[in-house]
C-alpha cells in the first residue's frame, strides 16, 4: 500500500531539515510582504472620517437667522446660510442681467429632487469657483447684504452665493440636499 499523504523529501520520509528551513522562510516572507503592502493598500481607501461623513444631517434650528455656519462635508467646507425673509425677497428680485452666472434665487434653494426647499436656507460649497479658496462670509461689496468675499483674488458673491464681481466664473455650487423634517436637512 502506497502512503499518499507524504510528499516531502524521498518517498516515505518526513520533511527534511532543509524543507523545514524553506517553509519557515516562506512564512516569514509572507508576513513581511503583507506588512509592507498594508500601508499602500490603506491609502486607496477613503479616510475613515470621509466615509463617515458621506452624508450629514443638520438641525437647521441651530443656525440663527441672519447667520452663516460652516460645516465639513466629504472633507470639504460648505456654507449653510439662514437668511431673513426680507433678504430672500431682495435676492429673488435680482435681475438676471446683473448676474455673471445667471441663476434665480428659487433655483438655488431647490432640493436634490428639484422640489422647493426652505427659501430661508442656502446650502452651498464654500470653495471659490476661481481657484478654490474659502471665501469670507458677510464681507465684500455685497457683504452688508450677507455676501461673501474671496480675498485670494477679490471675487465678490451675493448673499445667494452668486458671483457678482472678480475673476471667479461661477456661483458657489449648491450642495445636493433633502429635507427629512421641516427643520432637518440631509446633505449628500
Ligand atoms: S480663489 Fe477666489 S478669487 Fe481666486
Amino acid at each position: 500500500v502506497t502512503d499518499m499523504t507524504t510528499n516531502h523529501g524521498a518517498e516515505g520520509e518526513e520533511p527534511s531539515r532543509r524543507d523545514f528551513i524553506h517553509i519557515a522562510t516562506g512564512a516569514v516572507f509572507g508576513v513581511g510582504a503583507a506588512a509592507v503592502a498594508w500601508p499602500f493598500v490603506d491609502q486607496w481607501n477613503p479616510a475613515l472620517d470621509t466615509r463617515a461623513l458621506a452624508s450629514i444631517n443638520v438641525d437647521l434650528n441651530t443656525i440663527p437667522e441672519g447667520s452663516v455656519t460652516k460645516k465639513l462635508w466629504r472633507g470639504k467646507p460648505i456654507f449653510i446660510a439662514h437668511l431673513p425673509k426680507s433678504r430672500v425677497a431682495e435676492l429673488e428680485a435680482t435681475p438676471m442681467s446683473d448676474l455673471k452666472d445667471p441663476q434665480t434665487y428659487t433655483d438655488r434653494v431647490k432640493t436634490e429632487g428639484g422640489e422647493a426647499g426652505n427659501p430661508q436656507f442656502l446650502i452651498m460649497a464654500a470653495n471659490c469657483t476661481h481657484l478654490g479658496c474659502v471665501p469670507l462670509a458677510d464681507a465684500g461689496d455685497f457683504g452688508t447684504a450677507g455676501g461673501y468675499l474671496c480675498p485670494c483674488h477679490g471675487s465678490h458673491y451675493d448673499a445667494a452665493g452668486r458671483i457678482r464681481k472678480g475673476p471667479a466664473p461661477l456661483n458657489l455650487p449648491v450642495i445636493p440636499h433633502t429635507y427629512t423634517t421641516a427643520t432637518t436637512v440631509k446633505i449628500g
Side-chain angles (χ1 to χ4, degrees):
V1 178
T2 306
D3 182 0
M4 299 296 288
T5 61
T6 302
N7 54 12
H8 287 284
E11 191 177 348
E13 290 179 1
E14 291 301 313
S16 67
R17 178 177 156 75
R18 181 190 283 184
D19 286 339
F20 175 77
I21 290 168
H22 286 162
I23 292 163
T25 305
V28 169
F29 177 76
V31 170
V36 169
W38 168 248
F40 295 108
V41 171
D42 191 40
Q43 285 172 15
W44 299 333
N45 296 322
L48 277 178
D49 56 347
T50 305
R51 271 181 283 167
L53 297 176
S55 67
I56 54 174
N57 290 294
V58 177
D59 177 1
L60 298 176
N61 287 323
T62 61
I63 305 169
E65 186 173 285
S67 72
V68 179
T69 191
K70 201 157 51 171
K71 299 220 174 263
L72 265 192
W73 172 71
R74 296 185 185 173
K76 299 210 162 146
I78 62 169
F79 289 130
I80 305 176
H82 184 177
L83 281 75
K85 284 185 177 150
S86 57
R87 184 69 65 224
V88 169
E90 285 173 23
L91 293 163
E92 282 173 340
T94 308
M96 290 296 100
S97 55
D98 284 2
L99 301 174
K100 200 169 171 180
D101 178 16
Q103 190 178 27
T104 64
Y105 184 83
T106 309
D107 276 345
R108 292 189 57 77
V109 290
K110 280 186 177 163
T111 65
E112 189 172 14
E115 298 99 25
N118 183 333
Q120 285 189 263
F121 289 93
L122 272 158
I123 300 165
M124 53 199 175
N127 289 108
C128 179
T129 59
H130 181 222
L131 294 175
C133 292
V134 177
L136 304 169
D138 289 323
D141 287 8
F142 298 83
T144 52
Y148 302 82
L149 167 68
C150 181
C152 294
H153 314 92
S155 286
H156 301 249
Y157 298 84
D158 67 15
R162 295 177 297 196
I163 184 64
R164 303 295 290 270
K165 188 176 162 189
L170 299 169
N171 303 332
L172 298 177
V174 173
I175 302 294
H177 60 278
T178 49
Y179 282 82
T180 50
T181 72
T183 55
T184 310
V185 74
K186 178 171 166 275
I187 299 172

